Amino acid sequence: MKGWTGRLLRVDLTKGKAVNTEYSEELALKFVGGRGLAVKLLWDELKPGTDPLSPDNILIFAGGLYAGLPTVNSGKMVVAAKSPLTGGYGDGNLGTMASPNLRKAGLDGIVVKGKAKKPSYLWINDDEVELKSAADLWGKDSYETEKILKKEHGAATGVLTIGQSGENLCRISTVVSQEGRAGGRPGMGAVMGSKNLKAVIIKGTGEIPVADKEALQKMGREGFQDLLKRPNYKHWKAQGTMSTVEWCQAASTLPTYNFREGVFDHSKEIDGNTMEATTIKQRGCPNCNMICGNVILDTNGEESELDYENVVMLGSNIGVGDLKQVGRLNRMCDMLGLDTISAGSSIGFAMECSEKKLVKGLKLGWGDFDGSQKLIEDMSFMRGHGALFGMGTKAAAEKIGKGSADFAMQVKGLECSAYDCHHCPGMSLSFGTSPIGAHHKDAWVISWEISSGTREEYGPAKADKVIEFQRIRGGMFECLVACRFPWIELGFEVDHYPKYMEAATGLKWSLDDMWSLGDRVYALIRAFWIREFEGKWDRKMDYPPERWFKDPLTQGPLTGKKLDKSKYDTLLSYYYEKRGWDDRGIPTEATMKKLGLVEEAEELNKVVKLN
Ligand code: PTT
Ligand code: SF4
């Protein structure tokens, strides 16, 4: 196999053993890597019904086909497991030096099972693997942990770590790398913590075998040069994802006061222009020339790296209209290892519970900066009110009751990322059908929906667009494991990616092959959810939060707008039909077989009768 290393490191933390294993060519060809590889391994090897925070859960780090190769923006890694936040399939994608190092160590992924007896970290130095004591690291934040490990093992390494929130099994914890890259929103940090695994540190110095090294290098070089010439490059470099604040405010889609509104009076104070005026430097992922992490100084004069989602969820969504304060909350999340999106959503939810006097002793007003800092800390340590809100908004609402579930802004347990959808049925469908819960990663159709002037429409074209984006973003980019920003932000054409694949592997894949890959991975992820939710699966699990159906916007140009439930349900049916899923949202037997999921269909048939 060229392009792939063909090897996985299998670690059993309970036994303290690690073995280098080969995997089949069939697996590589059918699932490629990253998310595809992860879901297939979880499907085959995870016993259904496993407690996500038990030693039996399986944690996967997958580099993908492009990591370590000279293709554009390929320094990414997928981290996946059964999610403690949703109970279904969970993954995330972060930029990290661990990714090229993994592949140069001759590995496409790491599969971690069991639980270490004591806090430990995994040190992978090419072929040597050691499980070392993390006794001195446990209790430290993600920044300090990475610094200490790099000091000991060298700056050329890549480090994946958790902060205190992962250690304390807070279900909204992520994995962190490089002081500001974080991934695995559905609680991947907690899964790592449950295994007593504080960090993974990797150094790889080998060469990844490829079919045509010269062609690949040439294409990569040309790709990077091409990006520099794209019309939006300069603006992107100046503001990265942060220009979205201004755009969302103009479109009334800026989550404000726990997604009650789509406009924020202080949006200018937290937008990309304000950030640009105070940016002190930029940081980003390896192998990228579009570096988009903008660093400002927070209220304590410490560095904080901003992205759109972080700023909005910890800004307008909780009523904080000061960028330095937002920066502080963001830095705290990165250090403690809390997902900024879910943290901001949980704080907003807590503020609304406080306003409605639903939780005894809770006093947290909109825009309360000190109270938000305290709640972030308390969620990370799962103490006080943090023990309630650190469970995520779905579980917290189940405990609180009193109608609070209607304003818990989540789908399947994962909090919505920062797009208000009172008047965006297409983006609502995207949140509703995202394979990990409400994340924008897969089908960010909101820009198309607004620019095409179709916000009122619930027709089949919306379902088509969501599927198109899910194939490109959730399928191709997540399996090859490359940053999608060259394509979505600068218009770098998708047909570059099969060409890279040919140079790397010698295989001629068409874009249609890429889309089939996406469909296969989607069907298998859906099968995973159905198997886990045996007897409890309901198409309503693909609905967006109740708030968007019930509470109309009360401010801005879209005052009075809300989603229509019966039209949404029809839109969902179009989506199922186009995917070849039945009206329960379950792939039909014919669809599974067409996608090459024959054994998987047989297995699923034992759980639920397939149509
Ligand atoms: C991602 C989600 C996002 S998506 C953001 S900002 W974004 C939040 N970032 C967090 C953070 O920072 N710290 C923290 N403690 N929690 C955070 N939670 C949120 O996590 C990220 C970029 C961004 S910035 C985006 S959109 C793109 N995402 C990609 C993706 O998903 N796949 C892919 N192939 N390419 C992508 N490119 C872009 O990468 P999750 P990163 Mg992140 C600090 O992981 O779980 O997928 O959630 O990875 O290295 O920080 O890069 O406006
Ligand atoms: Fe990372 Fe941003 Fe570069 Fe993408 S564009 S690889 S998110 S730094």
Side-chain angles (χ1 to χ4, degrees):
M1 281 202 295
K2 292 276 165 60
W4 290 275
T5 69
R7 294 198 305 168
L8 297 173
L9 181 71
R10 290 182 170 273
V11 182
D12 185 330
L13 292 170
T14 307
K15 294 185 182 151
K17 280 196 173 155
V19 196
N20 229 314
T21 57
E22 289 188 357
Y23 65 95
S24 73
E25 195 169 336
E26 193 199 345
L27 179 57
L29 293 178
K30 254 170 122 171
F31 294 94
V32 178
R35 169 181 269 181
L37 182 73
V39 69
K40 177 62 174 153
L41 291 171
L42 286 169
W43 175 266
D44 285 348
E45 299 181 19
L46 186 78
K47 197 164 161 258
T50 297
D51 174 353
L53 294 178
S54 74
D56 294 334
N57 199 1
I58 301 173
L59 179 65
I60 296 161
F61 300 95
L65 187 58
Y66 289 175
L69 299 183
T71 60
V72 303
N73 300 26
S74 54
K76 293 268 183 187
M77 178 179 274
V78 166
V79 47
K82 178 175 172 182
S83 161
L85 187 62
T86 66
Y89 173 79
D91 72 16
N93 189 316
L94 74 161
T96 172
M97 281 299 297
S99 178
N101 273 293
L102 176 83
R103 297 254 297 149
K104 287 178 184 170
L107 296 166
D108 291 333
I110 309 171
V111 184
V112 184
K113 299 181 181 174
K115 177 180 181 178
K117 285 184 190 70
K118 293 189 176 144
S120 306
Y121 73 91
L122 194 61
W123 164 224
I124 302 169
N125 185 7
D126 282 323
D127 282 339
E128 288 165 28
V129 183
E130 234 182 306
L131 193 62
K132 294 178 77 89
S133 169
D136 296 343
L137 300 172
W138 205 255
K140 293 205 183 327
D141 66 54
S142 70
Y143 289 18
E144 210 183 341
T145 304
E146 179 156 348
K147 267 194 201 102
I148 293 170
L149 286 174
K150 285 209 162 199
K151 200 165 168 204
E152 180 161 351
H153 297 289
T157 53
V159 183
L160 301 155
T161 180
I162 53 169
Q164 296 90 330
S165 69
E167 294 175 8
N168 291 304
L169 310 185
C170 172
R171 295 189 221 169
I172 57 171
S173 309
T174 59
V175 176
V176 186
S177 190
Q178 301 179 193
E179 301 191 1
R181 318 228 65 80
R185 291 196 53 214
M188 299 301 106
V191 175
M192 214 164 141
S194 73
K195 297 188 171 305
N196 263 337
L197 184 63
K198 179 67 181 174
V200 177
I201 170 160
I202 314 170
K203 185 173 170 195
T205 56
E207 194 166 330
I208 303 160
V210 292
D212 189 340
K213 191 174 164 184
E214 266 177 38
L216 195 63
Q217 278 171 340
K218 183 167 175 287
M219 274 189 238
R221 218 170 29 243
E222 286 170 359
F224 279 120
Q225 282 160 3
D226 181 350
L227 293 178
L228 297 175
K229 292 183 210 131
R230 299 274 163 163
N232 198 31
Y233 183 82
K234 206 164 157 236
H235 185 56
W236 172 260
K237 277 289 288 168
Q239 296 203 355
T241 55
M242 282 289 287
S243 58
T244 315
V245 177
E246 204 179 341
W247 180 81
C248 277
Q249 171 79 358
S252 291
T253 57
L254 190 75
T256 302
Y257 304 125
N258 194 30
F259 290 85
R260 240 187 221 167
E261 306 296 345
V263 288
F264 183 48
D265 286 346
H266 301 282
S267 70
K268 282 197 184 330
E269 282 114 285
I270 59 164
D271 73 7
N273 300 320
T274 301
M275 180 202 71
E276 198 182 334
T278 48
T279 299
I280 57 160
K281 62 174 161 182
Q282 293 186 308
R283 281 205 295 253
C285 313
N287 201 31
C288 168
N289 70 349
M290 290 171 58
I291 293 299
C292 67
N294 288 285
V295 180
I296 64 155
L297 294 179
D298 67 14
T299 45
N300 287 15
E302 292 184 300
E303 292 182 3
S304 180
E305 183 184 326
L306 304 179
D307 267 309
Y308 167 77
E309 309 287 334
N310 310 341
V311 167
V312 170
M313 296 309 293
L314 296 167
S316 54
N317 193 54
I318 61 171
V320 171
D322 175 309
L323 200 61
K324 281 182 179 289
Q325 290 188 349
V326 173
R328 183 71 211 154
L329 302 177
N330 175 58
R331 183 181 163 103
M332 286 178 73
C333 287
D334 282 348
M335 292 175 81
L336 292 160
L338 265 196
D339 171 41
T340 51
I341 297 176
S342 289
S345 199
S346 295
I347 297 169
F349 176 70
M351 286 174 170
E352 191 157 345
C353 286
S354 167
E355 183 183 65
K356 296 187 160 116
K357 299 191 173 40
L358 302 184
V359 177
K360 208 171 150 207
L362 177 68
K363 284 206 176 78
L364 188 65
W366 296 110
D368 180 348
F369 174 56
D370 292 339
S372 299
Q373 289 186 79
K374 181 167 183 328
L375 189 54
I376 284 176
E377 256 185 34
D378 285 349
M379 288 194 288
S380 297
F381 288 90
M382 292 299 279
R383 65 189 178 206
H385 285 121
L388 175 65
F389 296 106
M391 296 165 75
T393 55
K394 180 170 186 272
E398 278 161 10
K399 281 214 153 193
I400 296 165
K402 304 171 195 163
S404 59
D406 287 359
F407 58 89
M409 300 306 293
Q410 52 77 32
V411 175
K412 300 184 185 71
L414 182 70
E415 284 68 27
C416 298
S417 24
Y419 302 94
D420 185 81
C421 292
H422 276 90
H423 196 41
C424 296
M427 191 64 208
S428 300
L429 181 68
S430 161
F431 277 144
T433 59
S434 150
I436 58 169
H439 195 31
H440 64 292
K441 176 211 292 279
D442 288 67
W444 188 71
V445 297
I446 192 164
S447 169
W448 165 82
E449 186 166 38
I450 292 170
S451 62
S452 63
T454 59
R455 290 178 81 166
E456 296 287 347
E457 290 173 23
Y458 291 73
K462 290 272 159 96
D464 283 338
K465 197 52 142 187
V466 168
I467 293 171
E468 179 193 328
F469 270 43
Q470 288 176 336
R471 284 176 175 154
I472 298 174
R473 296 165 63 113
M476 186 178 81
F477 282 113
E478 293 313 309
C479 294
L480 296 173
V481 190
C483 178
R484 61 174 184 253
F485 281 159
W487 164 70
I488 191 76
E489 299 295 343
L490 302 190
F492 190 70
E493 297 76 9
V494 281
D495 27 301
H496 284 95
Y497 295 89
K499 286 184 191 149
Y500 291 152
M501 182 158 184
E502 187 178 347
T505 65
L507 298 168
K508 271 189 189 298
W509 272 41
S510 65
L511 282 173
D512 281 339
D513 293 328
M514 293 286 178
W515 310 157
S516 298
L517 167 69
D519 290 349
R520 185 176 308 122
V521 168
Y522 255 65
L524 192 56
I525 294 181
R526 182 49 67 120
F528 184 91
W529 278 90
I530 306 292
R531 190 172 70 173
E532 290 297 335
F533 281 77
E534 186 190 347
K536 285 183 268 166
W537 179 264
D538 182 339
R539 67 184 266 147
K540 290 200 174 62
M541 287 174 76
D542 287 338
Y543 277 18
E546 193 62 18
R547 157 148 288 166
W548 291 334
F549 294 118
K550 261 179 101 172
D551 305 333
L553 292 170
T554 68
Q555 288 173 19
L558 297 184
T559 295
K561 294 290 184 193
K562 61 179 172 125
L563 292 178
D564 181 312
K565 198 178 265 184
S566 115
K567 286 185 185 166
Y568 178 84
D569 203 54
T570 307
L571 176 58
L572 187 58
S573 294
Y574 292 139
Y575 173 88
Y576 289 161
E577 202 185 317
K578 282 162 187 287
R579 276 221 167 274
W581 298 359
D582 65 20
D583 62 6
R584 299 169 296 175
I586 301 175
T588 64
E589 196 162 359
T591 299
M592 299 273 289
K593 289 190 171 157
K594 195 177 97 195
L595 294 168
L597 300 171
V598 179
E599 283 165 20
E600 291 83 352
E602 277 167 25
E603 169 81 16
L604 191 59
N605 237 328
K606 292 181 200 153
V607 177
V608 58
K609 182 89 196 77
L610 293 185
N611 284 316

